[in-house]
Amino acid sequence: MDAGCGAGAEAIWLASHGWDVTAADISSEALARAARRAAASGASERVRWVAADLGVWHPDTRFDLVMTHYAHPAMPQLDFYGRIAGWVAPGGTLLIVGHLHTPESTPHAPDSAGHGYHPPAEASVTSAAITARVDGTEWEIVTAEEHRRTLTGGGGGRAVPLHDVVVRATRRRG
């Protein structure tokens, strides 16, 4: 399950590597672009595209892998992560890649990266906040990291620091 799949890059990658993928997003326009990209890559028969508000939608099954990359749900970010964690099958993996705002990457700063987009401040989370949400007897936290990377873009090619949070957890069996 690719929760909040957007243009489908991760879903297409998984499908091209043999996974059967359910990819869900609220934007039918993004899903249409994703389906076209999947068709061009030859991976379309392995992806099921679902137009859904993930704050209320319920899948009809649990998944071996539930992942989300930079999704911006209408609900609070940690509630969203808790919600999608419930979709992971016993023995399965939850993978969350999200934003971590810092003073130099605040959403109120000018868009020096030139991509015209700032993630909302409420989309920012720490690895500690995510692991506190899913930790416990039901989960084994495999990875909980915060990374800094640099994006060089637009307007003079200036380097812009971006901060990400990555959490991978495995649901225990039984």
Side-chain angles (χ1 to χ4, degrees), residues 74-109:
M75 64 193 309
Q77 201 73 34
L78 287 173
D79 291 347
F80 174 68
Y81 295 153
R83 180 172 173 68
I84 68 171
W87 303 346
V88 178
T93 297
L94 173 67
L95 175 62
I96 296 169
V97 181
H99 301 289
L100 176 65
H101 295 299
T102 63
E104 60 276 10
S105 67
T106 160
H108 304 294

PDB file of all heavy atoms in Angstrom, residues 74-109:
ATOM      1  N   ALA A  74      -5.485  15.652   5.383  1.00  0.00           N
ATOM      2  CA  ALA A  74      -6.299  16.707   5.989  1.00  0.00           C
ATOM      3  C   ALA A  74      -6.359  16.545   7.506  1.00  0.00           C
ATOM      4  O   ALA A  74      -6.690  17.481   8.209  1.00  0.00           O
ATOM      5  CB  ALA A  74      -7.709  16.680   5.397  1.00  0.00           C
ATOM      6  N   MET A  75      -6.031  15.374   8.004  1.00  0.00           N
ATOM      7  CA  MET A  75      -6.045  15.109   9.439  1.00  0.00           C
ATOM      8  C   MET A  75      -4.648  15.365  10.014  1.00  0.00           C
ATOM      9  O   MET A  75      -3.687  15.484   9.253  1.00  0.00           O
ATOM     10  CB  MET A  75      -6.478  13.664   9.685  1.00  0.00           C
ATOM     11  CG  MET A  75      -5.515  12.633   9.138  1.00  0.00           C
ATOM     12  SD  MET A  75      -6.149  10.930   9.073  1.00  0.00           S
ATOM     13  CE  MET A  75      -6.766  10.672  10.677  1.00  0.00           C
ATOM     14  N   PRO A  76      -4.500  15.454  11.334  1.00  0.00           N
ATOM     15  CA  PRO A  76      -3.158  15.630  11.907  1.00  0.00           C
ATOM     16  C   PRO A  76      -2.206  14.516  11.461  1.00  0.00           C
ATOM     17  O   PRO A  76      -2.590  13.346  11.359  1.00  0.00           O
ATOM     18  CB  PRO A  76      -3.415  15.570  13.420  1.00  0.00           C
ATOM     19  CG  PRO A  76      -4.829  16.053  13.570  1.00  0.00           C
ATOM     20  CD  PRO A  76      -5.554  15.502  12.355  1.00  0.00           C
ATOM     21  N   GLN A  77      -0.978  14.897  11.188  1.00  0.00           N
ATOM     22  CA  GLN A  77       0.010  13.991  10.612  1.00  0.00           C
ATOM     23  C   GLN A  77       0.186  12.712  11.443  1.00  0.00           C
ATOM     24  O   GLN A  77       0.180  11.614  10.897  1.00  0.00           O
ATOM     25  CB  GLN A  77       1.357  14.721  10.476  1.00  0.00           C
ATOM     26  CG  GLN A  77       2.290  14.105   9.481  1.00  0.00           C
ATOM     27  CD  GLN A  77       1.883  14.341   8.036  1.00  0.00           C
ATOM     28  OE1 GLN A  77       1.342  15.375   7.689  1.00  0.00           O
ATOM     29  NE2 GLN A  77       2.142  13.376   7.191  1.00  0.00           N
ATOM     30  N   LEU A  78       0.351  12.847  12.752  1.00  0.00           N
ATOM     31  CA  LEU A  78       0.555  11.660  13.582  1.00  0.00           C
ATOM     32  C   LEU A  78      -0.678  10.773  13.625  1.00  0.00           C
ATOM     33  O   LEU A  78      -0.567   9.541  13.687  1.00  0.00           O
ATOM     34  CB  LEU A  78       0.992  12.053  14.987  1.00  0.00           C
ATOM     35  CG  LEU A  78       2.430  12.570  15.079  1.00  0.00           C
ATOM     36  CD1 LEU A  78       2.716  13.093  16.493  1.00  0.00           C
ATOM     37  CD2 LEU A  78       3.436  11.504  14.686  1.00  0.00           C
ATOM     38  N   ASP A  79      -1.867  11.361  13.564  1.00  0.00           N
ATOM     39  CA  ASP A  79      -3.090  10.555  13.495  1.00  0.00           C
ATOM     40  C   ASP A  79      -3.115   9.753  12.193  1.00  0.00           C
ATOM     41  O   ASP A  79      -3.526   8.593  12.174  1.00  0.00           O
ATOM     42  CB  ASP A  79      -4.341  11.430  13.590  1.00  0.00           C
ATOM     43  CG  ASP A  79      -4.519  12.053  14.963  1.00  0.00           C
ATOM     44  OD1 ASP A  79      -3.829  11.634  15.928  1.00  0.00           O
ATOM     45  OD2 ASP A  79      -5.349  12.976  15.080  1.00  0.00           O
ATOM     46  N   PHE A  80      -2.678  10.391  11.110  1.00  0.00           N
ATOM     47  CA  PHE A  80      -2.601   9.702   9.819  1.00  0.00           C
ATOM     48  C   PHE A  80      -1.648   8.513   9.901  1.00  0.00           C
ATOM     49  O   PHE A  80      -1.977   7.406   9.469  1.00  0.00           O
ATOM     50  CB  PHE A  80      -2.147  10.692   8.742  1.00  0.00           C
ATOM     51  CG  PHE A  80      -1.903  10.076   7.396  1.00  0.00           C
ATOM     52  CD1 PHE A  80      -2.950   9.571   6.636  1.00  0.00           C
ATOM     53  CD2 PHE A  80      -0.618  10.018   6.874  1.00  0.00           C
ATOM     54  CE1 PHE A  80      -2.726   9.013   5.379  1.00  0.00           C
ATOM     55  CE2 PHE A  80      -0.385   9.460   5.626  1.00  0.00           C
ATOM     56  CZ  PHE A  80      -1.443   8.958   4.883  1.00  0.00           C
ATOM     57  N   TYR A  81      -0.473   8.728  10.481  1.00  0.00           N
ATOM     58  CA  TYR A  81       0.488   7.636  10.600  1.00  0.00           C
ATOM     59  C   TYR A  81      -0.075   6.510  11.462  1.00  0.00           C
ATOM     60  O   TYR A  81       0.101   5.330  11.142  1.00  0.00           O
ATOM     61  CB  TYR A  81       1.809   8.132  11.165  1.00  0.00           C
ATOM     62  CG  TYR A  81       2.545   9.101  10.263  1.00  0.00           C
ATOM     63  CD1 TYR A  81       3.406  10.041  10.795  1.00  0.00           C
ATOM     64  CD2 TYR A  81       2.379   9.078   8.884  1.00  0.00           C
ATOM     65  CE1 TYR A  81       4.091  10.927   9.986  1.00  0.00           C
ATOM     66  CE2 TYR A  81       3.058   9.966   8.060  1.00  0.00           C
ATOM     67  CZ  TYR A  81       3.921  10.893   8.626  1.00  0.00           C
ATOM     68  OH  TYR A  81       4.595  11.774   7.818  1.00  0.00           O
ATOM     69  N   GLY A  82      -0.746   6.853  12.546  1.00  0.00           N
ATOM     70  CA  GLY A  82      -1.375   5.835  13.374  1.00  0.00           C
ATOM     71  C   GLY A  82      -2.444   5.070  12.621  1.00  0.00           C
ATOM     72  O   GLY A  82      -2.584   3.850  12.760  1.00  0.00           O
ATOM     73  N   ARG A  83      -3.196   5.786  11.805  1.00  0.00           N
ATOM     74  CA  ARG A  83      -4.266   5.165  11.012  1.00  0.00           C
ATOM     75  C   ARG A  83      -3.706   4.162  10.011  1.00  0.00           C
ATOM     76  O   ARG A  83      -4.159   3.027   9.929  1.00  0.00           O
ATOM     77  CB  ARG A  83      -5.055   6.260  10.302  1.00  0.00           C
ATOM     78  CG  ARG A  83      -6.194   5.770   9.450  1.00  0.00           C
ATOM     79  CD  ARG A  83      -7.031   6.950   8.960  1.00  0.00           C
ATOM     80  NE  ARG A  83      -8.034   6.538   8.023  1.00  0.00           N
ATOM     81  CZ  ARG A  83      -9.088   5.788   8.292  1.00  0.00           C
ATOM     82  NH1 ARG A  83      -9.286   5.354   9.518  1.00  0.00           N
ATOM     83  NH2 ARG A  83      -9.951   5.461   7.362  1.00  0.00           N
ATOM     84  N   ILE A  84      -2.698   4.569   9.235  1.00  0.00           N
ATOM     85  CA  ILE A  84      -2.159   3.662   8.225  1.00  0.00           C
ATOM     86  C   ILE A  84      -1.389   2.504   8.862  1.00  0.00           C
ATOM     87  O   ILE A  84      -1.284   1.437   8.265  1.00  0.00           O
ATOM     88  CB  ILE A  84      -1.333   4.382   7.141  1.00  0.00           C
ATOM     89  CG1 ILE A  84      -0.038   4.954   7.694  1.00  0.00           C
ATOM     90  CG2 ILE A  84      -2.179   5.448   6.448  1.00  0.00           C
ATOM     91  CD1 ILE A  84       0.913   5.491   6.630  1.00  0.00           C
ATOM     92  N   ALA A  85      -0.875   2.697  10.066  1.00  0.00           N
ATOM     93  CA  ALA A  85      -0.197   1.603  10.771  1.00  0.00           C
ATOM     94  C   ALA A  85      -1.167   0.442  10.998  1.00  0.00           C
ATOM     95  O   ALA A  85      -0.761  -0.722  10.968  1.00  0.00           O
ATOM     96  CB  ALA A  85       0.371   2.089  12.104  1.00  0.00           C
ATOM     97  N   GLY A  86      -2.433   0.754  11.182  1.00  0.00           N
ATOM     98  CA  GLY A  86      -3.442  -0.278  11.367  1.00  0.00           C
ATOM     99  C   GLY A  86      -3.670  -1.129  10.132  1.00  0.00           C
ATOM    100  O   GLY A  86      -4.305  -2.186  10.216  1.00  0.00           O
ATOM    101  N   TRP A  87      -3.174  -0.708   8.989  1.00  0.00           N
ATOM    102  CA  TRP A  87      -3.348  -1.439   7.743  1.00  0.00           C
ATOM    103  C   TRP A  87      -2.236  -2.465   7.502  1.00  0.00           C
ATOM    104  O   TRP A  87      -2.265  -3.187   6.508  1.00  0.00           O
ATOM    105  CB  TRP A  87      -3.415  -0.480   6.568  1.00  0.00           C
ATOM    106  CG  TRP A  87      -4.503   0.549   6.665  1.00  0.00           C
ATOM    107  CD1 TRP A  87      -5.575   0.552   7.519  1.00  0.00           C
ATOM    108  CD2 TRP A  87      -4.615   1.730   5.896  1.00  0.00           C
ATOM    109  NE1 TRP A  87      -6.348   1.662   7.313  1.00  0.00           N
ATOM    110  CE2 TRP A  87      -5.781   2.416   6.316  1.00  0.00           C
ATOM    111  CE3 TRP A  87      -3.850   2.299   4.881  1.00  0.00           C
ATOM    112  CZ2 TRP A  87      -6.197   3.617   5.760  1.00  0.00           C
ATOM    113  CZ3 TRP A  87      -4.263   3.507   4.323  1.00  0.00           C
ATOM    114  CH2 TRP A  87      -5.431   4.146   4.759  1.00  0.00           C
ATOM    115  N   VAL A  88      -1.241  -2.510   8.387  1.00  0.00           N
ATOM    116  CA  VAL A  88      -0.105  -3.411   8.218  1.00  0.00           C
ATOM    117  C   VAL A  88      -0.452  -4.795   8.777  1.00  0.00           C
ATOM    118  O   VAL A  88      -0.909  -4.920   9.912  1.00  0.00           O
ATOM    119  CB  VAL A  88       1.149  -2.858   8.937  1.00  0.00           C
ATOM    120  CG1 VAL A  88       2.326  -3.824   8.797  1.00  0.00           C
ATOM    121  CG2 VAL A  88       1.524  -1.479   8.391  1.00  0.00           C
ATOM    122  N   ALA A  89      -0.205  -5.820   7.980  1.00  0.00           N
ATOM    123  CA  ALA A  89      -0.449  -7.203   8.401  1.00  0.00           C
ATOM    124  C   ALA A  89       0.593  -7.626   9.434  1.00  0.00           C
ATOM    125  O   ALA A  89       1.703  -7.084   9.468  1.00  0.00           O
ATOM    126  CB  ALA A  89      -0.368  -8.127   7.179  1.00  0.00           C
ATOM    127  N   PRO A  90       0.271  -8.609  10.277  1.00  0.00           N
ATOM    128  CA  PRO A  90       1.283  -9.146  11.195  1.00  0.00           C
ATOM    129  C   PRO A  90       2.509  -9.606  10.398  1.00  0.00           C
ATOM    130  O   PRO A  90       2.385 -10.253   9.352  1.00  0.00           O
ATOM    131  CB  PRO A  90       0.567 -10.334  11.856  1.00  0.00           C
ATOM    132  CG  PRO A  90      -0.886  -9.957  11.799  1.00  0.00           C
ATOM    133  CD  PRO A  90      -1.042  -9.247  10.478  1.00  0.00           C
ATOM    134  N   GLY A  91       3.682  -9.222  10.870  1.00  0.00           N
ATOM    135  CA  GLY A  91       4.927  -9.523  10.167  1.00  0.00           C
ATOM    136  C   GLY A  91       5.260  -8.528   9.077  1.00  0.00           C
ATOM    137  O   GLY A  91       6.340  -8.586   8.488  1.00  0.00           O
ATOM    138  N   GLY A  92       4.344  -7.594   8.805  1.00  0.00           N
ATOM    139  CA  GLY A  92       4.534  -6.607   7.741  1.00  0.00           C
ATOM    140  C   GLY A  92       5.309  -5.385   8.208  1.00  0.00           C
ATOM    141  O   GLY A  92       5.646  -5.232   9.383  1.00  0.00           O
ATOM    142  N   THR A  93       5.565  -4.499   7.260  1.00  0.00           N
ATOM    143  CA  THR A  93       6.398  -3.324   7.486  1.00  0.00           C
ATOM    144  C   THR A  93       5.618  -2.039   7.269  1.00  0.00           C
ATOM    145  O   THR A  93       4.851  -1.926   6.314  1.00  0.00           O
ATOM    146  CB  THR A  93       7.613  -3.349   6.524  1.00  0.00           C
ATOM    147  OG1 THR A  93       8.400  -4.501   6.828  1.00  0.00           O
ATOM    148  CG2 THR A  93       8.466  -2.099   6.656  1.00  0.00           C
ATOM    149  N   LEU A  94       5.857  -1.079   8.145  1.00  0.00           N
ATOM    150  CA  LEU A  94       5.372   0.291   8.002  1.00  0.00           C
ATOM    151  C   LEU A  94       6.587   1.150   7.688  1.00  0.00           C
ATOM    152  O   LEU A  94       7.585   1.109   8.417  1.00  0.00           O
ATOM    153  CB  LEU A  94       4.716   0.764   9.300  1.00  0.00           C
ATOM    154  CG  LEU A  94       4.304   2.235   9.363  1.00  0.00           C
ATOM    155  CD1 LEU A  94       3.168   2.515   8.370  1.00  0.00           C
ATOM    156  CD2 LEU A  94       3.880   2.605  10.779  1.00  0.00           C
ATOM    157  N   LEU A  95       6.533   1.894   6.589  1.00  0.00           N
ATOM    158  CA  LEU A  95       7.627   2.790   6.205  1.00  0.00           C
ATOM    159  C   LEU A  95       7.065   4.189   6.048  1.00  0.00           C
ATOM    160  O   LEU A  95       6.173   4.413   5.217  1.00  0.00           O
ATOM    161  CB  LEU A  95       8.284   2.337   4.897  1.00  0.00           C
ATOM    162  CG  LEU A  95       9.372   3.266   4.345  1.00  0.00           C
ATOM    163  CD1 LEU A  95      10.549   3.378   5.317  1.00  0.00           C
ATOM    164  CD2 LEU A  95       9.840   2.781   2.978  1.00  0.00           C
ATOM    165  N   ILE A  96       7.591   5.102   6.845  1.00  0.00           N
ATOM    166  CA  ILE A  96       7.154   6.498   6.802  1.00  0.00           C
ATOM    167  C   ILE A  96       8.354   7.364   6.449  1.00  0.00           C
ATOM    168  O   ILE A  96       9.401   7.287   7.103  1.00  0.00           O
ATOM    169  CB  ILE A  96       6.581   6.943   8.169  1.00  0.00           C
ATOM    170  CG1 ILE A  96       5.321   6.135   8.493  1.00  0.00           C
ATOM    171  CG2 ILE A  96       6.312   8.443   8.180  1.00  0.00           C
ATOM    172  CD1 ILE A  96       4.837   6.296   9.922  1.00  0.00           C
ATOM    173  N   VAL A  97       8.207   8.165   5.407  1.00  0.00           N
ATOM    174  CA  VAL A  97       9.200   9.166   5.053  1.00  0.00           C
ATOM    175  C   VAL A  97       8.454  10.491   5.052  1.00  0.00           C
ATOM    176  O   VAL A  97       7.462  10.647   4.330  1.00  0.00           O
ATOM    177  CB  VAL A  97       9.840   8.895   3.674  1.00  0.00           C
ATOM    178  CG1 VAL A  97      10.894   9.957   3.359  1.00  0.00           C
ATOM    179  CG2 VAL A  97      10.451   7.495   3.626  1.00  0.00           C
ATOM    180  N   GLY A  98       8.901  11.408   5.887  1.00  0.00           N
ATOM    181  CA  GLY A  98       8.178  12.668   6.013  1.00  0.00           C
ATOM    182  C   GLY A  98       9.094  13.855   6.182  1.00  0.00           C
ATOM    183  O   GLY A  98      10.319  13.744   6.142  1.00  0.00           O
ATOM    184  N   HIS A  99       8.450  14.992   6.402  1.00  0.00           N
ATOM    185  CA  HIS A  99       9.157  16.262   6.558  1.00  0.00           C
ATOM    186  C   HIS A  99       9.548  16.493   8.004  1.00  0.00           C
ATOM    187  O   HIS A  99       8.816  16.141   8.921  1.00  0.00           O
ATOM    188  CB  HIS A  99       8.254  17.426   6.145  1.00  0.00           C
ATOM    189  CG  HIS A  99       7.780  17.355   4.735  1.00  0.00           C
ATOM    190  ND1 HIS A  99       8.615  17.561   3.666  1.00  0.00           N
ATOM    191  CD2 HIS A  99       6.561  17.103   4.222  1.00  0.00           C
ATOM    192  CE1 HIS A  99       7.916  17.449   2.546  1.00  0.00           C
ATOM    193  NE2 HIS A  99       6.668  17.164   2.855  1.00  0.00           N
ATOM    194  N   LEU A 100      10.682  17.132   8.186  1.00  0.00           N
ATOM    195  CA  LEU A 100      11.115  17.604   9.497  1.00  0.00           C
ATOM    196  C   LEU A 100      11.586  19.035   9.295  1.00  0.00           C
ATOM    197  O   LEU A 100      12.657  19.262   8.738  1.00  0.00           O
ATOM    198  CB  LEU A 100      12.244  16.732  10.057  1.00  0.00           C
ATOM    199  CG  LEU A 100      12.839  17.192  11.375  1.00  0.00           C
ATOM    200  CD1 LEU A 100      11.790  17.119  12.490  1.00  0.00           C
ATOM    201  CD2 LEU A 100      14.042  16.345  11.742  1.00  0.00           C
ATOM    202  N   HIS A 101      10.750  19.981   9.685  1.00  0.00           N
ATOM    203  CA  HIS A 101      11.118  21.385   9.487  1.00  0.00           C
ATOM    204  C   HIS A 101      12.135  21.814  10.532  1.00  0.00           C
ATOM    205  O   HIS A 101      12.057  21.426  11.679  1.00  0.00           O
ATOM    206  CB  HIS A 101       9.887  22.283   9.576  1.00  0.00           C
ATOM    207  CG  HIS A 101       8.907  22.026   8.490  1.00  0.00           C
ATOM    208  ND1 HIS A 101       9.208  22.177   7.166  1.00  0.00           N
ATOM    209  CD2 HIS A 101       7.630  21.579   8.535  1.00  0.00           C
ATOM    210  CE1 HIS A 101       8.161  21.857   6.439  1.00  0.00           C
ATOM    211  NE2 HIS A 101       7.189  21.489   7.245  1.00  0.00           N
ATOM    212  N   THR A 102      13.074  22.598  10.067  1.00  0.00           N
ATOM    213  CA  THR A 102      14.092  23.182  10.927  1.00  0.00           C
ATOM    214  C   THR A 102      14.114  24.671  10.619  1.00  0.00           C
ATOM    215  O   THR A 102      13.504  25.115   9.646  1.00  0.00           O
ATOM    216  CB  THR A 102      15.471  22.562  10.634  1.00  0.00           C
ATOM    217  OG1 THR A 102      15.814  22.885   9.284  1.00  0.00           O
ATOM    218  CG2 THR A 102      15.463  21.059  10.843  1.00  0.00           C
ATOM    219  N   PRO A 103      14.822  25.472  11.414  1.00  0.00           N
ATOM    220  CA  PRO A 103      14.833  26.917  11.118  1.00  0.00           C
ATOM    221  C   PRO A 103      15.224  27.264   9.687  1.00  0.00           C
ATOM    222  O   PRO A 103      14.668  28.154   9.090  1.00  0.00           O
ATOM    223  CB  PRO A 103      15.861  27.470  12.117  1.00  0.00           C
ATOM    224  CG  PRO A 103      15.798  26.512  13.257  1.00  0.00           C
ATOM    225  CD  PRO A 103      15.538  25.148  12.630  1.00  0.00           C
ATOM    226  N   GLU A 104      16.161  26.497   9.099  1.00  0.00           N
ATOM    227  CA  GLU A 104      16.557  26.821   7.727  1.00  0.00           C
ATOM    228  C   GLU A 104      15.645  26.219   6.670  1.00  0.00           C
ATOM    229  O   GLU A 104      15.793  26.498   5.493  1.00  0.00           O
ATOM    230  CB  GLU A 104      18.025  26.488   7.462  1.00  0.00           C
ATOM    231  CG  GLU A 104      18.488  25.091   7.623  1.00  0.00           C
ATOM    232  CD  GLU A 104      18.858  24.650   9.036  1.00  0.00           C
ATOM    233  OE1 GLU A 104      18.625  25.326  10.028  1.00  0.00           O
ATOM    234  OE2 GLU A 104      19.391  23.541   9.106  1.00  0.00           O
ATOM    235  N   SER A 105      14.658  25.400   7.072  1.00  0.00           N
ATOM    236  CA  SER A 105      13.736  24.844   6.079  1.00  0.00           C
ATOM    237  C   SER A 105      12.284  25.148   6.448  1.00  0.00           C
ATOM    238  O   SER A 105      11.394  24.397   6.114  1.00  0.00           O
ATOM    239  CB  SER A 105      13.938  23.328   5.963  1.00  0.00           C
ATOM    240  OG  SER A 105      13.551  22.676   7.152  1.00  0.00           O
ATOM    241  N   THR A 106      12.071  26.234   7.133  1.00  0.00           N
ATOM    242  CA  THR A 106      10.727  26.605   7.542  1.00  0.00           C
ATOM    243  C   THR A 106       9.832  26.883   6.348  1.00  0.00           C
ATOM    244  O   THR A 106      10.289  27.432   5.347  1.00  0.00           O
ATOM    245  CB  THR A 106      10.747  27.829   8.481  1.00  0.00           C
ATOM    246  OG1 THR A 106       9.462  28.428   8.484  1.00  0.00           O
ATOM    247  CG2 THR A 106      11.735  28.857   8.059  1.00  0.00           C
ATOM    248  N   PRO A 107       8.538  26.529   6.423  1.00  0.00           N
ATOM    249  CA  PRO A 107       7.650  26.740   5.282  1.00  0.00           C
ATOM    250  C   PRO A 107       7.360  28.212   5.025  1.00  0.00           C
ATOM    251  O   PRO A 107       6.781  28.545   4.030  1.00  0.00           O
ATOM    252  CB  PRO A 107       6.379  25.990   5.672  1.00  0.00           C
ATOM    253  CG  PRO A 107       6.422  25.903   7.146  1.00  0.00           C
ATOM    254  CD  PRO A 107       7.875  25.857   7.528  1.00  0.00           C
ATOM    255  N   HIS A 108       7.801  29.089   5.921  1.00  0.00           N
ATOM    256  CA  HIS A 108       7.545  30.517   5.723  1.00  0.00           C
ATOM    257  C   HIS A 108       8.699  31.209   5.008  1.00  0.00           C
ATOM    258  O   HIS A 108       8.613  32.373   4.678  1.00  0.00           O
ATOM    259  CB  HIS A 108       7.277  31.186   7.073  1.00  0.00           C
ATOM    260  CG  HIS A 108       6.141  30.529   7.804  1.00  0.00           C
ATOM    261  ND1 HIS A 108       4.844  30.551   7.352  1.00  0.00           N
ATOM    262  CD2 HIS A 108       6.121  29.778   8.924  1.00  0.00           C
ATOM    263  CE1 HIS A 108       4.072  29.879   8.173  1.00  0.00           C
ATOM    264  NE2 HIS A 108       4.820  29.389   9.134  1.00  0.00           N
ATOM    265  N   ALA A 109       9.781  30.478   4.789  1.00  0.00           N
ATOM    266  CA  ALA A 109      10.930  31.054   4.094  1.00  0.00           C
ATOM    267  C   ALA A 109      10.621  31.176   2.609  1.00  0.00           C
ATOM    268  O   ALA A 109       9.801  30.432   2.082  1.00  0.00           O
ATOM    269  CB  ALA A 109      12.153  30.161   4.299  1.00  0.00           C
TER     270      ALA A 109
END
